[in-house]
Amino acid sequence: MSDNNSSKKVAVGVVVASTIGFIAGVLFAPKSGKETRNDIKVAASNAKSELEKKLKVSYRELNEVIAEAKAYYDRSSESIKKDLGKLLDQAKVSQEKVKEILSAVHDGDSHDPDLTKALEEAKAAIENLKSYIKK
């Protein structure tokens, strides 16, 4: 799992670095203001699309892990159900936040701290449920 997290971090780093490089190139390129504004608009649209993809992947992963955890919950003892129930509740809250942020990104109303927090919570919920189920 840590290899997967490392890969995700590298991928996010590449996207961020590419975006920064693109913006710097656009701002310092000898183009008209209209062309520069259009290039920035295209870059912003591409970044938005990438964020939506990442949020959708997190939402789908949460769906899968929640379904798996519910099946595990149904066949577990009462002591396990108590702990697993808390994790499931947290995962459902994270899933709802991801859904809200996805809608906000789609509508252009999201804020970076909200997005980052929702993605971190979703990743944590996924990892917590996966590790608990594997016990």
Side-chain angles (χ1 to χ4, degrees):
M1 277 187 238
S2 65
D3 288 338
N4 193 17
N5 285 337
S6 297
S7 298
K8 287 181 182 179
K9 288 180 183 178
V10 169
V12 170
V14 168
V15 169
V16 169
S18 298
T19 302
I20 290 170
F22 176 79
I23 290 172
V26 166
L27 292 175
F28 293 107
K31 292 184 177 182
S32 71
K34 184 177 182 179
E35 291 174 317
T36 301
R37 285 189 299 275
N38 187 51
D39 289 347
I40 291 172
K41 185 178 179 180
V42 168
S45 177
N46 290 341
K48 178 183 171 183
S49 295
E50 286 300 313
L51 287 174
E52 286 179 339
K53 287 178 189 175
K54 288 178 186 177
L55 286 165
K56 287 177 183 178
V57 166
S58 291
Y59 188 81
R60 278 193 301 270
E61 280 185 60
L62 278 166
N63 270 341
E64 292 169 6
V65 173
I66 287 171
E68 186 179 343
K70 283 180 181 179
Y72 183 76
Y73 179 89
D74 290 339
R75 61 181 189 269
S76 298
S77 67
E78 288 303 314
S79 61
I80 291 175
K81 284 183 178 184
K82 182 178 178 182
D83 292 335
L84 185 56
K86 290 178 187 177
L87 291 175
L88 275 167
D89 289 342
Q90 290 171 349
K92 288 175 186 176
V93 168
S94 292
Q95 185 182 36
E96 187 59 34
K97 285 182 183 178
V98 167
K99 185 177 179 181
E100 289 172 8
I101 295 295
L102 179 59
S103 293
V105 167
H106 185 71
D107 296 339
D109 296 332
S110 68
H111 302 297
D112 189 41
D114 295 337
L115 173 64
T116 302
K117 185 176 179 183
L119 286 172
E120 288 173 359
E121 288 176 1
K123 288 177 188 177
I126 290 166
E127 294 303 318
N128 288 339
L129 282 174
K130 283 182 178 179
S131 66
Y132 196 88
I133 291 170
K134 288 183 180 181
K135 286 184 182 180

